[in-house]
């Protein structure tokens, strides 16, 4: 077959046609390196693997609590929190291009890792300062957080393309098998760091209290400390490393080659110039044929990358939308924080990778099914679609069980009778029409709020209270979309009332909310095991809300002139409680308990199927995709391909950002939207894969060794054929 023969099939657009010998890249001087226990593994890789473990602990640990930090510390909305989370994730996958350019063109891998790690640590310090409640107000916290996250994105993304490759540089070419095993250990260190940090940092946030609140400063500070340890460990191995000098920015060469080919093609669009078999051949006047051939091989793979961002758009929502979903669920089964549920992803990855490689793929092969890389990636997409369909079903069920919220010109009202006898309450509107009439016993637990309709956004309601044949009339003003508690108490021979706005009617991040009413004649200082006590004023003073972890609270210490303790019992996930401190018996002060917002009913275990499906999809898509991409690109293009792969992750996060800000859909509908979009993308990817012509191993690399006497240079002779998908 003549390599220059015109081929009219669709595949010729991406076929490499010719190469030319180019001078070999300069290699760094050989340096003998100490080995580990007499093996062929360089001692230097120990420092690199430990560095990667600490860095991944730092990154994933910080990221695990980031969404809840936005939501409950900076008080942003769920959509804004999701958008900023994915904007940060996207930036982390854009900056590797900058890191690769700095390493290849200027500093080399070692210095790039050192300098950008310093930036990384500085970002963690600033981010932790932005989580200190005593340091300024919300504006300063927001500014510090954005500056810190920007520096972290520059640091983590900048060193991402350098660390793994720098570890590979430590091996001699004759130890290729050991280098392959090193990359397996390297990948394991990534997942180990992610697994441990995703479990630990939410505990630091929720189990430790700073200034009476969740300790986000500690949850960000510990990952920062791990990043500092990563930097120190990496620097300690400096004298053991084999350090390659900068070899020039291959990404820059690729971009220039493509641009020159496109511009030359349009400049010479007239029929006077002979046609070129491939559009990149228009760069032959300026660039060597070896580079052009490599770029052709690269473009074939990049063409398949076009649909991939949608998969990452779904996968990365585990840390945002799915975490927010977990805040509305009950964690009794695992006793996990909502942000700890993300630990399922790295945990399942560690299980699924050997399961798929050693069991599932082998069984499929024995069944005679040709399970190609592209087919694995398509199946991975389908599994992710199913995972989001399950997430939508879970979301619908959560909404069915959730407490209703008041709409426009509506309020929710409950009456709390703290008098010693039954009271009849009648609520009248502006025209003396009866809106509500109830008889309420002393300290009666009200099963639910009553819904009252308003004529305007705010309105005065008239209350008639009957107690011991005495009628008391009072008036209270209310505003729409709010929750209220009317507290009735004894006032000498009569009664009086006060309207309390339940401003924090929703519990946060799966925790328990509580407030106290103090019927004693002296101030009570309630210690809930936090740094700051809760002070409740005397004579029916009402405290602010306080959120605590789910659990049993049999002994809660209180201070007055005489100290005493209260038994609050079990405080469950997502519930809100009102405790009335009374002294009506000879046993001393006690707490009367009322649950006015029920606990989350749906178990967080229902998220297991969606995590399992999406993680299985990730194993089939991500691991297989990288393997396939590397097998289809020449060695000179590996770094460019890595940058392009990371860019697909960045674009995927941008898709989530756009949908979160502008879709306006209910959460379950948004999950369905993403599932359907990925299904369409999977179909497109399948069609592209059907027409894709795979390169056999050695096609690209071996071409340089094939000599053709009639033609100067080296040739590739590829048989054009369709690969059934």
């Amino acid at each position: 077959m003549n390599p220059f023969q015109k081929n009219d099939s669709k595949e010729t657009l991406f076929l490499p046609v010719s190469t030319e010998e180019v001078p070999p890249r300069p290699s760094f001087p050989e340096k003998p390196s100490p080995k580990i226990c007499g093996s062929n593994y360089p001692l230097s890789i120990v420092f690199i693997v430990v560095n990667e473990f600490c860095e991944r602990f730092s990154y994933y640990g910080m990221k695990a609590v980031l969404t809840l930090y936005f939501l409950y510390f900076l008080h942003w909305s769920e959509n804004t929190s999701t958008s900023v989370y994915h904007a940060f994730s996207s930036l982390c996958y854009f900056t590797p291009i900058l890191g690769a350019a700095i390493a290849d063109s200027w500093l080399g891998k070692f210095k790039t890792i050192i300098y950008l790690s310093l930036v990384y640590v500085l970002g963690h310090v600033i981010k932790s300062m932005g989580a200190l409640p005593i340091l300024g107000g919300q504006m300063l916290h927001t500014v510090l957080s954005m500056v810190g996250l920007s520096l972290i994105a520059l640091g983590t993304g900048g060193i991402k393309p350098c660390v793994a490759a720098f570890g590979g540089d430590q091996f001699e070419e004759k130890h290729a098998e050991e280098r392959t095993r090193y990359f397996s250990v390297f990948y394991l260190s990534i997942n180990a760091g992610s697994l441990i940090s995703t479990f630990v940092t939410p505990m630091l946030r929720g189990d430790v209290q700073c200034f009476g609140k969740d300790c986000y400063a500690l949850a960000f500070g510990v990952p920062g400390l791990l990043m500092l340890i990563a930097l120190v460990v990496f620097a300690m191995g400096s004298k053991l490393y084999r350090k390659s000098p900068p070899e020039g920015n291959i990404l820059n060469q690729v971009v220039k080659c493509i641009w020159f080919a496109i511009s030359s093609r349009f400049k010479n669009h007239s029929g006077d110039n002979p046609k070129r078999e491939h559009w990149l051949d228009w760069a032959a006047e300026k660039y060597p044929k070896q580079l052009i051939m490599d770029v052709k091989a690269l473009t074939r793979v990049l063409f398949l990358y076009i649909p991939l961002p949608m998969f990452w758009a779904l996968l990365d929502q585990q840390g945002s939308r799915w975490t927010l979903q977990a805040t509305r669920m009950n964690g009794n089964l695992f006793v996990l924080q909502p942000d700890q549920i993300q630990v399922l992803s790295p945990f399942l990855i560690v299980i699924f990778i050997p399961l798929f490689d050693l069991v599932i793929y082998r069984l499929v092969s024995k069944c005679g099914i040709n399970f190609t890389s592209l087919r694995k990636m398509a199946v991975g997409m389908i599994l992710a679609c199913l995972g989001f369909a399950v997430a939508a079903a879970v979301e619908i069920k959560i909404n069915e069980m959730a407490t209703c919220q008041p709409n426009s010109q509506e309020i929710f009202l409950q009456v709390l009778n703290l008098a010693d006898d039954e009271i009849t309450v009648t609520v009248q509107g502006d025209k003396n029409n009866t809106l509500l009439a109830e008889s309420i016993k002393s300290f009666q637990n009200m099963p639910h709020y009553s819904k009252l309709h308003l004529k305007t956004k705010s309105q005065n309601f008239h209350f008639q209270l009957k107690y011991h044949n005495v009628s008391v009339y009072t008036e209270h003003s209310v505003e729409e979309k709010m929750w209220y508690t009317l507290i009735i108490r004894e006032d000498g021979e009569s009664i009086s009332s006060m309207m309390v706005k339940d401003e924090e009617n929703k519990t946060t991040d799966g925790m328990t909310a509580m407030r106290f009413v103090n019927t004693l004649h002296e101030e009570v200082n309630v210690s809930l095991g936090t740094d700051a006590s809760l002070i409740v004023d005397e004579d029916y003073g009402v405290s602010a809300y306080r959120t605590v972890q789910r659990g049993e609270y049999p002994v809660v210490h209180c201070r007055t002139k005489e100290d005493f303790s209260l038994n609050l019992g079990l405080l469950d996930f997502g519930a809100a409680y009102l405790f009335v401190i009374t002294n009506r018996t000879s046993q001393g002060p006690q707490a009367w308990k009322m649950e006015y917002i029920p606990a989350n009913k749906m178990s967080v275990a229902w998220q297991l199927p969606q995590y399992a499906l999406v993680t299985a999809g990730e194993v089939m898509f991500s691991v297989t995709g990288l393997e396939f991409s590397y097998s289809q690109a020449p060695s000179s293009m590996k770094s460019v391909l890595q940058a392009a792969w990371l860019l697909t992750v960045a674009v995927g996060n941008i898709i989530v950002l756009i949908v979160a800000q502008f879709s306006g859909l209910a959460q379950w509908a948004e999950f369905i939207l993403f599932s359907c979009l990925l299904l369409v993308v999977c179909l497109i990817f399948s069609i592209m894969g059907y027409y894709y012509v795979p390169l056999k191993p050695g096609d690209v690399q071996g071409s340089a060794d094939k000599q053709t006497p009639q033609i100067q240079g080296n040739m590739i002779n590829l048989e054009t054929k369709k690969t059934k998908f």
Side-chain angles (χ1 to χ4, degrees):
M1 176 180 175
N2 186 347
F4 293 111
Q5 180 181 349
K6 184 176 180 180
N7 191 326
D8 293 328
S9 68
K10 297 178 182 179
E11 294 84 356
T12 55
L13 185 62
F14 296 102
L15 283 180
V17 293
S18 65
T19 64
E20 184 176 76
E21 291 290 348
V22 293
R25 294 182 180 182
S27 59
F28 48 84
E30 294 292 333
K31 177 182 177 181
S33 176
K35 308 296 182 183
I36 300 175
C37 301
S39 67
N40 292 324
Y41 294 94
L43 181 61
S44 55
I45 65 169
V46 174
F47 297 93
I48 297 172
V49 170
V50 173
N51 164 269
E52 183 66 11
F53 169 82
C54 294
E55 189 274 328
R56 290 291 86 184
F57 186 108
S58 167
Y59 175 74
Y60 285 109
M62 177 276 303
K63 201 175 177 185
V65 299
L66 194 57
T67 300
L68 297 187
Y69 167 79
F70 291 151
L71 194 63
Y72 301 124
F73 189 90
L74 296 183
H75 304 293
W76 292 351
S77 68
E78 288 192 1
N79 285 338
T80 301
S81 301
T82 300
S83 298
V84 176
Y85 175 91
H86 287 284
F88 167 71
S89 298
S90 179
L91 186 59
C92 289
Y93 286 98
F94 274 119
T95 50
I97 298 176
L98 179 60
I102 293 173
D104 290 343
S105 306
W106 183 22
L107 296 177
K109 297 184 186 73
F110 175 77
K111 289 184 178 179
T112 300
I113 295 171
I114 290 290
Y115 293 155
L116 289 184
S117 292
L118 290 171
V119 174
Y120 203 160
V121 172
L122 179 61
H124 273 297
V125 172
I126 295 175
K127 185 73 191 73
S128 301
M129 292 172 61
L132 290 171
I134 60 173
L135 190 63
Q138 183 175 349
M139 179 59 70
L140 180 60
H141 293 152
T142 302
V143 171
L144 290 174
S145 296
M146 295 302 100
V147 172
L149 289 176
S150 299
L151 294 177
I152 290 172
L154 176 60
T156 187
I159 68 176
K160 192 185 295 288
C162 301
V163 178
F166 187 70
D169 290 346
Q170 307 309 305
F171 291 85
E172 302 173 27
E173 288 302 322
K174 60 184 179 181
H175 298 145
E177 184 177 348
E178 286 81 2
R179 179 165 52 200
T180 301
R181 291 175 183 167
Y182 152 75
F183 281 114
S184 297
V185 174
F186 185 85
Y187 188 75
L188 181 62
S189 70
I190 292 175
N191 284 281
S194 171
L195 180 66
I196 297 173
S197 65
T198 308
F199 185 78
V200 170
T201 51
M203 294 175 61
L204 298 176
R205 171 195 62 79
D207 294 349
V208 181
Q209 297 287 313
C210 300
F211 311 101
K213 299 180 179 179
D214 283 356
C215 199
Y216 287 99
L218 181 63
F220 290 137
V222 170
L225 178 61
L226 264 292
M227 188 58 224
L228 180 61
I229 293 173
L231 173 59
V232 172
V233 169
F234 183 77
M236 287 171 59
S238 176
K239 295 183 179 180
L240 300 175
Y241 298 139
R242 300 170 75 226
K243 304 171 186 175
S244 59
E247 299 177 356
N249 190 350
I250 185 66
L251 178 61
N252 188 42
Q253 295 178 40
V254 170
V255 173
K256 287 183 177 180
C257 178
I258 292 175
W259 175 253
F260 185 81
I262 294 173
S263 58
S264 297
R265 175 67 183 87
F266 282 100
K267 288 178 183 177
N268 300 282
H269 62 277
S270 64
D272 299 336
N273 295 294
K275 291 184 178 181
R276 310 289 173 96
E277 187 170 348
H278 193 285
W279 62 273
L280 276 168
D281 290 333
W282 289 96
E285 286 79 4
K286 183 175 181 180
Y287 293 94
K289 291 184 178 179
Q290 176 67 57
L291 176 64
I292 294 174
M293 189 210 75
D294 288 353
V295 175
K296 288 177 183 178
L298 177 70
T299 56
R300 303 173 73 252
V301 182
L302 294 183
F303 179 67
L304 287 177
Y305 277 10
I306 295 174
L308 304 191
M310 184 54 66
F311 177 85
W312 302 114
L314 274 70
L315 183 70
D316 282 356
Q317 290 188 57
Q318 295 176 82
S320 57
R321 291 301 200 195
W322 286 13
T323 298
L324 295 174
Q325 185 184 70
T327 64
R328 303 190 298 277
M329 304 179 75
N330 193 305
N332 277 335
L333 182 63
F334 304 109
V335 194
L336 292 176
Q337 300 293 335
D339 38 1
Q340 278 181 314
I341 195 67
Q342 302 170 61
V343 78
L344 286 174
S345 181
F347 176 74
L348 290 173
I349 285 177
V350 172
I351 295 175
F352 282 170
I353 286 179
L355 176 65
F356 276 76
D357 285 341
L358 302 178
V359 180
I360 296 178
Y361 292 157
R362 293 187 180 184
L363 288 176
V364 171
S365 179
K366 286 185 177 181
C367 292
I369 300 174
N370 183 19
F371 207 22
T372 63
S373 296
L374 294 179
R375 287 176 177 173
K376 292 177 185 176
M377 293 175 69
V379 172
M381 290 183 180
I382 294 173
L383 289 175
C385 290
L386 294 175
F388 263 68
V390 173
V394 171
E395 187 70 22
I396 291 172
K397 195 64 178 178
I398 291 173
N399 291 341
E400 290 177 356
M401 296 181 174
T403 305
C404 296
Q405 300 297 317
N407 298 317
S408 296
Q409 296 187 1
E410 288 182 353
I411 66 163
F412 284 171
L413 175 69
Q414 69 172 352
V415 181
L416 178 59
N417 179 12
L418 301 184
D420 61 357
D421 204 352
E422 183 175 338
I423 293 176
T424 300
V425 179
T426 303
V427 183
Q428 297 177 334
D430 291 338
K431 298 181 179 180
N432 293 325
N433 54 317
T434 300
L435 303 177
L436 176 69
E438 286 185 314
S439 293
I440 304 170
K441 296 179 181 179
S442 177
F443 285 85
Q444 177 181 335
N445 252 316
M446 299 302 293
H448 54 79
Y449 280 82
S450 298
K451 181 190 295 186
L452 298 180
H453 295 274
L454 312 182
K455 293 183 178 180
T456 58
K457 291 185 177 181
S458 61
Q459 184 176 328
N460 291 333
F461 281 130
H462 303 279
F463 294 84
Q464 179 184 6
L465 311 176
K466 290 185 178 181
Y467 170 73
H468 290 170
N469 298 320
V470 175
S471 293
V472 176
Y473 295 89
T474 185
E475 181 179 314
H476 295 287
S477 178
V478 295
E479 299 175 356
E480 67 174 357
K481 297 182 179 180
M482 300 300 298
W483 301 50
Y484 292 92
T485 298
L486 181 68
I487 299 177
I488 303 172
R489 62 188 182 92
E490 296 177 25
D491 189 3
E493 295 294 326
S494 184
I495 55 173
S496 62
S497 65
M498 59 181 177
M499 185 74 82
V500 178
K501 184 184 294 185
D502 297 336
E503 293 180 351
E504 300 182 36
N505 55 76
K506 293 182 181 179
T507 51
T508 60
D509 59 2
M511 299 180 70
T512 295
M514 65 172 71
R515 71 192 313 184
F516 290 85
V517 176
N518 178 20
T519 66
L520 306 182
H521 298 299
E522 52 186 333
E523 181 182 270
V524 177
N525 193 319
V526 182
S527 176
L528 295 170
T530 60
D531 294 339
S533 299
L534 188 62
I535 298 175
V536 193
D537 292 335
E538 69 276 6
D539 294 326
Y540 295 91
V542 181
S543 74
Y545 278 93
R546 181 61 52 86
T547 56
V548 295
Q549 297 289 334
R550 180 261 185 197
E552 294 278 354
Y553 290 81
V555 180
V556 174
H557 296 287
C558 302
R559 293 198 305 273
T560 57
K561 293 179 180 178
E562 295 182 3
D563 293 351
F564 61 93
S565 61
L566 299 174
N567 179 9
L568 304 185
L570 173 65
L571 306 183
D572 211 349
F573 285 102
Y577 299 93
L578 177 68
F579 293 96
V580 181
I581 303 174
T582 64
N583 191 8
R584 305 169 68 194
T585 66
S586 59
Q587 298 177 355
Q590 294 181 334
W592 177 77
K593 177 180 180 180
M594 182 177 73
E595 180 185 82
Y596 62 92
I597 293 183
N600 299 338
K601 296 182 179 67
M602 193 165 186
S603 172
V604 75
W606 285 103
Q607 281 196 324
L608 276 172
Q610 65 198 56
Y611 269 98
L613 285 167
V614 169
T615 305
E618 179 185 1
V619 170
M620 299 190 73
F621 179 91
S622 181
V623 177
T624 306
L626 275 176
E627 175 191 357
F628 170 79
S629 302
Y630 272 57
S631 69
Q632 296 296 295
S635 59
S636 62
M637 296 292 140
K638 302 297 186 188
S639 61
V640 180
L641 200 65
Q642 178 70 11
W645 181 265
L646 296 175
L647 271 179
T648 65
V649 183
V651 175
N653 279 276
I654 291 177
I655 292 173
V656 182
L657 188 156
I658 294 172
V659 172
Q661 282 296 313
F662 302 109
S663 71
L665 297 173
Q667 189 56 67
W668 66 267
E670 188 177 293
F671 286 155
I672 292 293
L673 172 65
F674 276 109
S675 182
C676 293
L677 287 175
L678 184 58
L679 192 60
V680 172
V681 165
C682 180
L683 178 62
I684 295 172
F685 179 77
S686 301
I687 296 172
M688 294 169 64
Y690 179 83
Y691 289 101
Y692 180 78
V693 182
L695 291 178
K696 297 178 182 179
D699 276 343
V700 177
Q701 302 304 329
S703 63
D705 301 325
K706 296 180 182 178
Q707 300 295 330
T708 305
Q710 294 84 357
I711 303 174
Q712 183 180 2
N714 302 300
M715 297 300 174
I716 287 184
N717 188 353
L718 286 180
E719 181 185 355
T720 303
K721 62 180 180 180
K722 291 181 181 178
T723 301
K724 265 209 168 175
F725 185 71

